[in-house]
Amino acid sequence: MVISHALGARIKRREDPRLITGRAIYVDDLNFAGMVHVAIVRSPHAHATIRSIDTTAARRAPGVVAVWTGEDVKARCGPLPVGPRIKEMKAPKRFPLVIDGVVRHVGDPVAAVVATTMDAARDASDLVEVDYEPLPSVQDPEAALEPGAPILHQDLGTNVCFRMTYGGGNVEEAFAGADVVVKTRIVQQRLIPAAMETRGVVAQYKGGELTVWTSTQIPHVVKTTLAETVRLPEHEIHVIAPEVGGGFGSKLDVYGEEGLVAALALALGRPVKWIESRRENFIATIHGRGQIDYVELAAHHDGTVAGLRVRAIADLGAYSQLLTPGVPTNTGLMCCGCYRIPNAHAEVIGVFTNRTPTDAYRGAGRPEATFLIERAMDLLAAELKMDPVEVRRKNFIPPAAFPYKTPTGAVYDSGNYERALDKALERADYRALRDEQAKLRKQGRYLGIGIATYVEITGLGAVAGLSGGNWESATVRVEPTGKVTVLTGTSPHGQGEETTFAQIVSDRLGVPVEDVVVLHGDTRAVPHGVGTFGSRTTPVGGSAVYVAAEKVKDKAVQIAAHLLEAAPADISTDGARFTVRGSPERSVEFKDVARMAYKAYKLPAGMEPGLDVTHFFVPKERVFPFGTHLCVVEVDPDTGEVTFRRYIAVDDCGNILNPLLVAGQIHGGIVQGLAQAIYEGVTYDDEGQLLTGTFAEYVVPQATDVPAFELDHTVTPSPHNPLGAKGVGEAGTIGATPAVVNAILDALAPFGVKDLQMPITPRRVWEALEGNSASR
Amino acid sequence: MKRPITLTVNGTTYQHEVEPRLLLVYYLREVLGLTGTHIGCDTTSCGACTVLMNGLAVKSCTVLAAQADGADILTVEGLAQDGKLHPIQEGFWEEHGLQCGFCTPGMMLTALQILERNPNPSEEEIRHGLDGNLCRCTGYQHIVNSVKNAARKLKEERIPVIPVRKAVNTRAPVAGAGKEAD
């Protein structure tokens, strides 16, 4: 594919003018006459039986319009989706409020108070009296597997939601014949996605149509689900994702509140608004990660890996949400990383605990996979006293081996892992860094160099829990004046496809980027779509736009040829004008072709009027971005503080449509991955109370907490889509966590510290060094 | 219970009677309809609601509307004048200093305070000045670039960092506005 002036250019975003002037409309900015507000009463217990709920006082409070409990929901609402269907999976039904009299995590919604103002609703919600009988709870997923552990869902009779295995080759034989085996136990701590905009829903039932504005990544899936949840025909439901203030997977779900607010709007006949508070967001919106991984890597003396064994225990929390089981299963699929590992076995167990449910958070199972294999490779290098770079080189899947099928079943499309690694090493001047490290160690200063070579999987979507497969829709509509309207089924929340998709159309049709508008997120305006997640926007959604634009162009050429009385094959175009080859005087403007497409009195025989194409793009296969992240830190052994010296990221996301936006995605991704390494982590007490319940305790990095990044790329186009693009939304996060942790542990190698629990806080470093003080 | 306040927001003077517990951010958003100022938390941690009050960056979720009596407030809606973007807005646009845009109004107003105090801030000084404002999308690097971009432009074009309003209109209380609970 030719990257033109429009495609691959550093074009500033078309969505920004409304965002930098305060004119963008997020859900909380919507206000309607007669609108009422919802406050939700949530469980303060991790596990309890509800003896009774007394709503008398709340109902009498000033401004209160209605108070609903599970009984009201039972009468009006159907269930919510509980995840992609996995063989022998046991998942309980979920409803907008608890309807079976048992709360299973702090934050489980028990009742809803509706009042004329937000303050009145919140004041009255304090008056709802819920009498709980506390039950024993289980916080730790391994403890939840033990016999005699409290069972969350009595009707399932077990806390195990599913067990899946991945693998191939002969792992037992590989381990028996290996020279060395390294082992580690990794705790992937829970993370809070913490999009800056919390969730929110506004619903209005008017003129036989239910309109729901919701801060979501998947408006079409919400629409289809609502039809069942509020028992309304789907064609009477209109879902709009207005401006969405970040998601990172936390809005890739159909939440109870969406059904609840819609049902309230239907029942009350008034517009209803619910805005999640930040405290609610921390307990009621999904968490990410939450996995315990037992990893064993077997190898020969020369560093060749013989086998990999993984046992991943996933902390699902109290319920299975839209994609919950799809997250740890990604870890099983991707645990071999960039390496040719002939024998591998991964067992993935999903376990219910009395905590907020987990689901997809930026990376969704691939950060966990990358972390475990990248840590294991560093442990192997240390064991064999090899350079971590050499161990990786020795085991890379070579460029000639693609398409490459891993023993766990993933089929990697294309890659050149060594090229990305070399570029990062060259940029960092790796040899010089190692020399500096040795020199500084003699002075009692501890430099660490961490490397992570990752491969990940994007273009996800082929799961039964969603309303469709791994496809995306796009409409390219040339208006009669030659301006272009694009409709996409993706639903951005910061990614910038109003710009990148306009670039694609500009590239294909030759119209200026300014002449293209991209609409999204409105189920009445755009054809059914899947949504924005899994770094699928460009490879899947962008490809749909590309193909639709190609079809438009083909039709325009036919119309032009007819108008010019020439054969279509003889028409050349620069976008603005169609010309008969060799006769520059015989030409017609693009806008005149567009007008004729609709005036339609002079079209080729049998051609339908219009210049408007919808395409549902189905990728041949999933695609696999990769790269190398190299992090340099200095650790102060007296305080345990980690200081970033450099951070180099060489990412290969195939062809790049807009380098400015790609850099933005990588920067933001790296910070979320780096944050898992040293800042962020959910803490619960033994009773299931969230101790990191606000931004004061849960450390989302600030500007001074993170370094500047040095970015570079290699370009290995994917053969599976016409753009040759691979997606870049999650790569930064996936590469960063192991790069940072490997750097810190490399710095601490002289102290004999081999592993540290994330987040690696100064205290954890300091304690580890105290324990090893003899070696100082 | 209600008390009268008079304050100037983006050059327009308003008079309202407000509940003592009404926070400035809700006054701006719900009474004046200036929804460009966002609410991102309930613990004064995120900075999404940052506005300038008498030239100082404040988190408007931690200021009572009553405390703003007599104050001069600048919100994101007051940055552009006569259809021309302020250099800080151009900076964020040109350097891709925003993705989802939710933290952006607060970031830009905080950036104005940084530049008002120091027209030539180093990268470190910019980052220090931005602490207190969370962004979950950008990783901050492009925000730092945006502030540098604006600093350059403010200097070249000799524009005052904090926009100066040409005329001040006075608006009478809007009927029904400022009411909280029925």
Side-chain angles (χ1 to χ4, degrees), chain A residues 280-295:
Chain A
E280 277 183 298
N281 178 263
F282 276 28
I283 56 173
T285 289
I286 61 103
H287 291 174
R289 315 286 186 265
Q291 217 179 86
I292 297 169
D293 300 320
Y294 290 87
V295 186

Side-chain angles (χ1 to χ4, degrees), chain A residues 13 16 20 26 28-29 117 119 123 192-193 246 248 278 660 664 667-668 672 680 701-704 706 709, chain B residues 21 29 35 38 40 42 45 89 93 96 98-102 108 127 131-132 136-142 180:
Chain A
R13 296 204 312 175
D16 286 1
I20 55 179
Y26 299 84
D28 195 18
D29 302 335
T117 68
D119 285 336
D123 287 349
I192 293 177
F248 316 111
R278 180 58 66 184
L660 189 62
H667 291 161
Q672 285 181 13
E680 293 181 25
Q702 306 195 97
T704 49
V706 298
F709 309 105
Chain B
R21 72 167 171 176
R29 288 179 53 82
T35 55
H38 300 142
D42 35 27
S45 311
Q89 293 171 306
W93 193 7
H96 189 29
L98 61 146
Q99 289 178 29
C100 82
F102 199 76
M108 291 193 298
R127 284 182 184 267
D131 269 1
R136 196 57 158 164
C137 295
T138 64
Y140 300 104
Q141 191 158 332
H142 281 164
E180 267 216 279

Side-chain angles (χ1 to χ4, degrees), chain A residues 174-322:
Chain A
F175 272 75
D179 298 323
V180 289
V181 173
V182 291
K183 298 180 184 185
T184 184
R185 176 180 183 269
I186 294 163
V187 179
Q188 283 281 341
Q189 80 272 31
R190 279 175 171 244
L191 302 175
I192 293 177
M196 291 314 300
E197 183 208 26
T198 58
R199 290 186 294 123
V201 188
V202 170
Q204 181 175 39
Y205 186 65
K206 205 175 173 183
E209 179 179 279
L210 173 71
T211 307
V212 178
W213 292 262
T214 178
S215 186
T216 185
Q217 303 173 219
I218 45 168
H220 294 278
V221 181
V222 171
K223 172 176 64 89
T224 304
T225 305
L226 276 180
E228 188 178 351
T229 306
V230 302
R231 297 167 183 154
L232 211 62
E234 188 173 356
H235 65 282
E236 294 176 15
I237 302 174
H238 178 187
V239 174
I240 300 169
E243 210 73 61
V244 174
F248 316 111
S250 70
K251 296 169 181 173
L252 165 56
D253 216 318
V254 182
Y255 282 98
E257 291 87 353
E258 287 164 327
L260 176 70
V261 172
L264 281 166
L266 286 169
L268 301 175
R270 298 175 74 161
V272 179
K273 182 190 233 182
W274 170 74
I275 300 297
E276 186 182 52
S277 73
R278 180 58 66 184
R279 283 168 199 273
E280 277 183 298
N281 178 263
F282 276 28
I283 56 173
T285 289
I286 61 103
H287 291 174
R289 315 286 186 265
Q291 217 179 86
I292 297 169
D293 300 320
Y294 290 87
V295 186
E296 295 174 78
L297 191 68
H300 301 299
H301 282 309
D302 69 349
T304 311
V305 173
L308 171 68
R309 204 185 270 142
V310 175
R311 184 166 189 256
I313 299 155
D315 170 5
L316 307 183
Y319 304 98
S320 178
Q321 301 268 139
L322 184 70

